[in-house]
Amino acid sequence: MAYWIKINYERSIYLIDLDSITAFSCQSNKLITFWLPNSSQPIILNKQNSEQDYNLVLEYLKKKIEIDYKIYNECWVKIIYDRHEWLINLSCITTFALEPNGRITFWLPDSTKDIIINPNSEPEAYKKVSEFIKKVTGYSLP
């Protein structure tokens, strides 16, 4: 399934399939960031400078969170990390690391960003990630 949008960004016109984006970062100052597939190039949308494009992506995200995507073998999780709200498709994550202190680290595809979740500060997200790891890999975390 594809969800194509057309946006103007830095003097170029992009046609982007939002269904191919694996993670979005939403900041309280009205910024949405995502990385183009197969590249580490971020697209940063600002409500003040590109309100129409910003709203297109925001509406997509609202729909994405509302629909049960287990039908499509996707597992989206919302994590508050590094003062950003992250919406991440765990189905696209290929490596998870469990640290001795219990934290789970994983790396976002198409970017150089790592996400570290702690069972004490993000218990819901930690539980969802742990359950996803068990379901997909067959391995449980201690």
Side-chain angles (χ1 to χ4, degrees):
M1 182 182 212
Y3 189 97
W4 289 92
I5 64 167
K6 178 181 175 182
I7 64 171
N8 294 309
Y9 183 72
E10 293 185 347
R11 296 184 279 162
S12 294
I13 296 174
Y14 289 84
L15 299 172
I16 303 169
D17 175 10
L18 289 180
D19 279 341
S20 69
I21 306 300
T22 57
F24 297 86
S25 170
C26 304
Q27 295 174 315
S28 59
N29 60 350
K30 307 291 185 199
L31 289 177
I32 296 176
T33 303
F34 59 91
W35 292 263
L36 295 177
N38 304 313
S39 110
S40 60
Q41 179 182 346
I43 299 288
I44 303 169
L45 299 177
N46 179 319
K47 188 168 183 162
Q48 288 81 12
N49 296 341
S50 54
E51 185 173 1
Q52 182 179 353
D53 298 335
Y54 177 90
N55 286 332
L56 278 172
V57 174
L58 189 60
E59 285 303 311
Y60 169 81
L61 290 173
K62 286 179 184 176
K63 289 177 186 174
K64 194 74 155 165
I65 297 302
E66 290 173 4
I67 297 172
D68 181 7
Y69 273 82
K70 292 178 183 171
I71 295 168
Y72 302 106
N73 293 323
E74 294 181 354
C75 181
W76 285 84
V77 64
K78 186 187 296 188
I79 297 172
I80 306 299
Y81 178 71
D82 200 22
R83 296 186 307 268
H84 299 212
E85 180 179 83
W86 292 86
L87 302 168
I88 302 166
N89 183 353
L90 292 177
S91 304
C92 298
I93 306 299
T94 58
T95 304
F96 297 91
L98 178 65
E99 300 177 21
N101 59 7
R103 298 185 311 187
I104 298 174
T105 302
F106 57 89
W107 295 264
L108 299 178
D110 305 320
S111 83
T112 58
K113 181 72 180 156
D114 60 339
I115 301 291
I116 304 167
I117 57 173
N118 186 313
N120 299 323
S121 60
E122 281 290 324
E124 266 186 59
Y126 189 89
K127 180 180 178 189
K128 192 166 187 177
V129 171
S130 296
E131 289 172 355
F132 174 82
I133 291 170
K134 171 76 172 157
K135 178 182 172 189
V136 171
T137 67
Y139 294 106
S140 61
L141 299 175

